[in-house]
Amino acid sequence: LNGCHANWQERVVTRYRLPEFIERAAPCVFCAWFGLLSVMRRVEINTEPLTREQKKYFKNQTTDYKPCNFGYLNGRLVCVDYA
């Protein structure tokens, strides 16, 4: 149930272009009702640990700084799992 809620929150961020998130988050392209399925833009998954500066940059998006929660979209590091 928490995952469905998180998927729906990620959709809201994309749909309403919340300024504090939109430039730092991978956009959600589609989210089914109740957040059962979420489709996001394809990113190249990050494999390197985040630097201190990157963690500071993403501190309002997530608290889970695993490399796989981030990726590169058009050459820019974005958060993939941010809700």
Side-chain angles (χ1 to χ4, degrees):
L1 199 53
N2 287 336
C4 290
H5 184 255
N7 287 345
W8 193 255
Q9 285 180 314
E10 290 168 352
R11 174 63 178 147
V12 168
V13 166
T14 301
R15 185 170 197 177
Y16 297 105
R17 299 191 56 82
L18 301 178
E20 63 273 15
F21 289 98
I22 198 65
E23 293 300 320
R24 300 173 186 189
C28 179
V29 178
F30 172 79
C31 186
W33 283 102
F34 309 112
L36 294 174
L37 172 72
S38 178
V39 178
M40 302 181 92
R41 290 274 313 268
R42 178 177 282 208
V43 301
E44 182 181 330
I45 295 297
N46 179 43
T47 57
E48 300 294 322
L50 269 63
T51 64
R52 184 177 300 139
E53 293 81 20
Q54 289 170 328
K55 287 180 181 179
K56 186 175 179 182
Y57 180 74
F58 288 107
K59 72 177 181 179
N60 292 328
Q61 278 71 42
T62 187
T63 56
D64 189 358
Y65 297 110
K66 290 185 291 195
C68 63
N69 286 340
F70 296 86
Y72 290 92
L73 179 64
N74 300 328
R76 182 172 42 95
L77 186 65
V78 294
C79 189
V80 177
D81 188 9
Y82 50 92

